[in-house]
Amino acid sequence: LEKAVPTRWRRWVMQLAPESHSNLRIVDEQGGATARASTFLISEHLNYLVTDRGVEILAKLELSDATGLRRELGVALPSGIQLISATVDGRELPWRMAGTTQLGEAKAIVELPNNGDNRSVTVTLRAWQGLVLDKPWLLPKLRPDDAFWSSGTLALAVLPSLELTSLVPTDCLQTSAKLANSKSDQPETCSFTSYSPTANVELRISRRSPGVVARVGTIIQIGDPDIS
């Protein structure tokens, strides 16, 4: 079969990841094996809790790498975002700041577990952003370099002391919503399923005005109280 292939053709070797979602790359056979794939699959699950002090961000990133040889994860941090921790299965991962990206964003490097095979690993990132009031802003997203997006979800929670006055989703579908309950301190929540890597939600937050409760009663007196 190989003799039947014309010499002017180029020969390629196909490498597929043993996952339900395969990431295909093409490698020149004469060029030798590469140390790592240039891209990998990512499924992101982003949770945001908006409090009086700021926005708590929990990003769960499910990574699938064809080679399993990746040892570091570069993550761009949008302006105003502070990375707090990175974990895998509850274990803290070392990380460091490493300059900026081509877009001028700060960049963090997270060291992945050195267990010999990182074909599939879930990294949980915790971050924080200051509270933005009375003007529209986009939810900040933490996404690794060289990532091929496959799926994602967004979950937003706003404490009862704050009011969600505007909500505009882009490239995502709202799947649930629940109003805040000030009596039980339950937050207002919204959930979304993303269908594009550019999916995001623009929101506007204001401080909730204190409610006023007034009780009105009427006393009716019949007859003359001086008559005995």
Side-chain angles (χ1 to χ4, degrees):
L1 180 62
E2 293 183 0
K3 292 180 179 179
V5 178
T7 56
R8 66 178 181 275
W9 288 13
R10 299 186 66 182
R11 179 181 175 86
W12 298 90
V13 176
M14 304 292 184
Q15 296 185 351
L16 299 178
E19 307 288 344
S20 56
H21 300 281
S22 296
N23 183 25
L24 173 65
R25 68 189 180 101
I26 301 177
V27 181
D28 187 350
E29 188 182 40
Q30 304 301 323
T34 58
R36 56 184 284 272
S38 59
T39 60
F40 58 97
L41 290 177
I42 175 174
S43 179
E44 59 182 9
H45 305 280
L46 309 177
N47 293 268
Y48 303 87
L49 175 61
V50 184
T51 72
D52 294 287
R53 300 180 58 186
V55 184
E56 299 176 10
I57 306 167
L58 178 66
K60 183 175 292 185
L61 308 176
E62 299 175 0
L63 312 176
S64 297
D65 183 12
T67 64
L69 300 177
R70 185 179 293 269
R71 292 292 174 259
E72 292 184 340
L73 188 67
V75 181
L77 303 178
S79 177
I81 299 299
Q82 299 179 20
L83 183 62
I84 298 175
S85 68
T87 61
V88 168
D89 296 331
R91 302 191 306 273
E92 293 283 342
L93 297 177
W95 61 275
R96 66 185 186 278
M97 300 304 297
T100 59
T101 66
Q102 294 180 351
L103 299 178
E105 297 177 323
K107 183 177 181 179
I109 301 296
V110 178
E111 298 182 18
L112 297 178
N114 188 14
N115 57 7
D117 188 352
N118 284 329
R119 293 180 186 271
S120 180
V121 63
T122 299
V123 178
T124 300
L125 303 177
R126 294 182 182 274
W128 181 88
Q129 173 186 279
L131 181 61
V132 179
L133 289 173
D134 301 322
K135 64 179 181 179
W137 51 282
L138 290 172
L139 293 175
K141 303 187 75 173
L142 308 178
R143 185 168 295 158
D145 297 336
D146 304 327
F148 183 83
W149 185 89
S150 63
S151 63
T153 60
L154 297 167
L156 172 66
V158 181
L159 291 187
S161 58
L162 301 171
E163 185 176 4
L164 180 60
T165 60
S166 175
L167 187 70
V168 182
T170 301
D171 291 345
C172 57
L173 178 66
Q174 185 170 346
T175 55
S176 68
K178 184 179 180 181
L179 296 178
N181 187 338
S182 58
K183 294 182 179 179
S184 61
D185 294 330
Q186 292 297 315
E188 180 174 358
T189 61
C190 301
S191 299
F192 305 85
T193 297
S194 306
Y195 52 84
S196 165
T198 59
N200 209 327
V201 175
E202 180 186 88
L203 64 157
R204 184 185 181 101
I205 299 289
S206 300
R207 295 199 183 277
R208 190 178 297 275
S209 301
V212 177
V213 178
R215 295 183 178 180
V216 179
T218 302
I219 299 177
I220 301 176
Q221 186 173 4
I222 301 176
D224 189 343
D226 296 332
I227 298 177
S228 59

